[in-house]
Amino acid sequence: MQTPSRDSSLELAPQACQSCRSGKRRCDKALPKCSSCAKRGRTCEYWWPETRAHSTTASDPARGWYPSPLNEEQQRDVHTIDFPTILFLDPDLLQHGQVDTAHSTVSVPAHVLHLLGDLDEIRFTAGRFFEHIHQWMPFISKKRFYDMYLQPAFHTRPDVVLLLLAQKLITTFPPAGAQGPRTPLYYAVRRFYVEVEGAFSILVLQAGVLVALYELGHGIYPAAYLSIGACARHAHALGINVGRTVPTRRVLTFVEVEERRRVWWAIVILDRFVSIGCPGRPFATADPRLDDLLPADDAAWDQGIVRPEDLSTLSSPMTGHMSKFALLCQAGRLLGQVLHHLASDVAIHDEVWMQLDRTLQSMLAAALNIDCPDYDQITFVYSALVALYTPWLIPNRAADPHSDRSRRARVVLEQITDRISANLVERQCFLGRDPEDMSPWGLYFAYRICGAHMRTQRKTPHAAAVIQSLREGFRTIEVRWNVAGVYLQLLEAQEAIHLGI
């Protein structure tokens, strides 16, 4: 019996189709559709070399996937559903593989690529991001980013482009003038984010966190509050820090799991800090539990190393072995407790605020008494501590000026004032630092300290000098974070009210 042979003139794909590769089936590489996919009624997709990258059959150049050409009748027979839709409507189907999932078809507009710049500009932006922003908010894997997303082949993938564009946004200083931080770049990133957010990618979520951080640091409200809430929802959709495991299409490495953990902590920190001036607004993220894992060592993670045995939880004692970001996460959790306390009906109960005071003071002492203090963590703790006493720093009908808490508030005010002179200026914690290296965490406490001293009937020369120094700090930091200029305007309004102008 003669074995039928394939027509040698029939073009073959260079390698097996993706359906056969994922199912570990033998593929005859036939075009337009292999025999296995034709028999099973599956979509047949091949990976083509770069020489075929401009084929007219390419449906998604950004991903490098090129489906076999189908005629009109075949196209009507193909039914695909995007992965997020299945995940929300019936995730159990994903475990049985009965439905083909569609790839994202979002293309990158030419004007977005123009904003991104060439490869040299992309590398320059990434370098600035990891040199400055990443130092105090490390939630993007540096090694994975440089190993993968700086490769030219990825620069037309929508989620990668969005993240690169968000990095450019967060590292760009706001222009002076009426336009301020609401720049064409900001609006372009926001619009492209809406187009790409359905890609169901952690890169899209990371870009959203950077946009929210930009809005918070530049005083763009209520956009900052809404963006952080959207990030929390996006994280939940991706299965980050939720009780039930969300199905994924591949196994995650330790580095990727650590990256997801850090993204969640970044959202938690922003979710608390955005409400620091107005306690009572509900958080978009649940309060961290004592058994929640903290971020691993920052330096090791940047090198792509995560050792599970080195991980600690929120219940672990604070030690010098914890990473800077882990300590900031602990401070973020404490800030959440402070805001819960201030919004509750029992905010005057001594045992609660005294315990919060002791914990924050212990964290502050530990942060100050090391060889290389983390300035951003210190200013974050200062802001949380000042938030705890703000209602008692500003005398009103609700706060008894002779109560224990009011007296303690005045003591804390003087302590922080002294530390501003003794530590913050000399050790460059708030003043004297390069604005590009600074986080916006310290601006809130500086504003409240200035306001409290301005309302004091008898100003000491020491307090007046501190107010002047902090005003200068606001002017310096305004170059980097526009919200510093907003706080300056609020101080002028307070001064006018105090003087009866």
Side-chain angles (χ1 to χ4, degrees):
M1 181 177 179
Q2 186 177 5
T3 303
S5 60
R6 183 185 305 275
D7 185 352
S8 60
S9 64
L10 183 64
E11 184 182 2
L12 299 179
Q15 60 185 14
C17 73
Q18 290 307 304
S19 178
C20 291
R21 286 164 64 89
S22 61
K24 297 183 179 180
R25 294 185 297 270
R26 184 172 181 177
C27 181
D28 60 10
K29 307 177 187 177
L31 292 175
K33 202 171 193 178
C34 75
S35 301
S36 177
C37 289
K39 181 179 179 180
R40 292 172 172 81
R42 293 181 178 274
T43 300
C44 191
E45 293 180 324
Y46 293 103
W47 173 269
W48 293 98
E50 290 297 324
T51 56
R52 296 289 298 273
H54 299 289
S55 168
T56 57
T57 63
S59 67
D60 190 3
R63 298 180 61 91
W65 294 106
Y66 299 89
S68 305
L70 302 178
N71 58 40
E72 186 175 348
E73 182 178 354
Q74 289 173 317
Q75 290 177 2
R76 286 196 299 266
D77 293 336
V78 175
H79 300 281
T80 59
I81 308 174
D82 62 88
F83 179 78
T85 300
I86 302 175
L87 182 61
F88 276 86
L89 296 183
D90 193 350
D92 291 337
L93 283 177
L94 295 172
Q95 300 176 7
H96 302 288
Q98 297 300 313
V99 181
D100 282 340
T101 57
H103 299 301
S104 172
T105 58
V106 176
S107 59
V108 182
H111 74 276
V112 171
L113 292 175
H114 177 73
L115 287 171
L116 196 59
D118 58 19
L119 183 57
D120 289 338
E121 188 173 353
I122 291 173
R123 291 185 180 277
F124 175 76
T125 298
R128 286 187 63 188
F129 174 81
F130 285 104
E131 182 181 357
H132 302 291
I133 306 297
H134 182 76
Q135 297 305 309
W136 49 269
M137 189 61 103
F139 67 96
I140 297 175
S141 172
K142 184 176 181 180
K143 179 173 176 54
R144 292 188 71 243
F145 182 88
Y146 275 98
D147 287 350
M148 296 178 61
Y149 305 129
L150 280 190
Q151 303 304 317
F154 283 89
H155 293 172
T156 52
R157 230 180 75 174
D159 54 349
V160 176
V161 171
L162 178 63
L163 180 58
L164 295 173
L165 208 59
Q167 287 184 342
K168 184 172 184 178
L169 175 69
I170 197 69
T171 55
T172 301
F173 283 26
Q179 184 186 51
R182 292 176 173 85
T183 62
L185 177 60
Y186 166 67
Y187 286 119
V189 175
R190 292 274 299 183
R191 284 192 293 267
F192 192 50
Y193 176 84
V194 173
E195 295 179 21
V196 182
E197 63 180 345
F200 213 63
S201 162
I202 192 172
L203 277 71
V204 176
L205 174 58
Q206 290 169 327
V209 173
L210 291 180
V211 171
L213 180 57
Y214 179 89
E215 293 167 339
L216 184 146
H218 293 302
I220 305 177
Y221 291 95
Y225 181 75
L226 299 176
S227 294
I228 293 168
C231 288
R233 284 288 195 179
H234 198 152
H236 293 155
L238 287 172
I240 297 177
N241 203 61
V242 296
R244 180 182 178 184
T245 302
V246 174
T248 59
R249 287 173 281 188
R250 62 185 182 83
V251 177
L252 300 177
T253 65
F254 279 131
V255 173
E256 290 173 302
V257 172
E258 172 70 12
E259 187 168 33
R260 291 162 69 90
R261 181 183 302 118
R262 285 170 176 261
V263 170
W264 180 77
W265 273 113
I267 297 171
V268 168
I269 292 169
L270 293 178
D271 193 24
R272 272 71 183 154
F273 197 83
V274 75
S275 297
I276 193 170
C278 48
R281 288 199 172 98
F283 299 146
T285 53
D287 291 326
R289 303 181 302 270
L290 289 178
D291 60 347
D292 280 338
L293 290 172
L294 290 166
D297 180 75
D298 296 331
W301 184 61
D302 276 343
Q303 298 174 9
I305 301 172
V306 177
R307 292 181 290 267
E309 62 271 16
D310 294 338
L311 295 174
S312 57
T313 65
L314 274 172
S315 60
S316 304
M318 287 181 291
T319 66
H321 299 292
M322 285 186 177
S323 69
K324 290 183 177 181
F325 192 47
L327 294 173
L328 182 62
C329 293
Q330 288 187 321
R333 173 178 174 269
L334 284 175
L335 175 59
Q337 292 181 326
V338 168
L339 297 179
H340 277 312
H341 169 66
L342 294 175
S344 68
D345 295 332
V346 293
I348 60 173
H349 286 191
D350 292 349
E351 63 274 9
V352 178
W353 68 262
M354 291 178 68
Q355 178 60 45
L356 288 170
D357 177 275
R358 285 193 296 268
T359 306
L360 287 168
Q361 292 284 1
S362 298
M363 178 176 286
L364 186 59
L368 288 169
N369 295 326
I370 58 177
D371 294 335
C372 298
D374 181 0
Y375 304 127
D376 297 297
Q377 182 209 0
I378 291 170
T379 56
F380 193 100
V381 177
Y382 272 128
S383 289
L385 193 58
V386 169
L388 179 63
Y389 289 108
T390 290
W392 286 263
L393 288 173
I394 305 174
N396 53 45
R397 297 177 182 177
D400 180 3
H402 303 293
S403 66
D404 290 341
R405 189 161 183 178
S406 294
R407 286 192 290 269
R408 177 59 181 165
R410 290 191 290 271
V411 171
V412 169
L413 173 64
E414 292 304 321
Q415 286 179 346
I416 294 179
T417 301
D418 291 340
R419 285 171 179 168
I420 289 173
S421 299
N423 296 101
L424 301 189
V425 175
E426 294 175 8
R427 301 178 72 171
Q428 297 186 341
C429 188
F430 186 68
L431 303 176
R433 294 176 63 194
D434 183 352
E436 195 165 9
D437 294 330
M438 296 187 67
S439 71
W441 309 140
L443 297 173
Y444 174 80
F445 95 82
Y447 166 70
R448 288 301 187 189
I449 291 295
C450 284
H453 280 301
M454 287 168 54
R455 290 172 179 269
T456 303
Q457 295 296 327
R458 298 173 59 187
K459 295 189 181 70
T460 64
H462 180 55
V466 168
I467 292 175
Q468 181 61 29
S469 296
L470 291 178
R471 282 181 180 269
E472 293 175 4
F474 279 125
R475 295 187 186 97
T476 300
I477 299 171
E478 184 183 9
V479 177
R480 179 64 187 92
W481 299 112
N482 189 72
V483 73
V486 177
Y487 277 130
L488 272 177
Q489 294 177 358
L490 295 177
L491 284 175
E492 292 176 2
Q494 282 199 41
E495 194 169 26
I497 293 173
H498 179 68
L499 296 176
I501 299 177

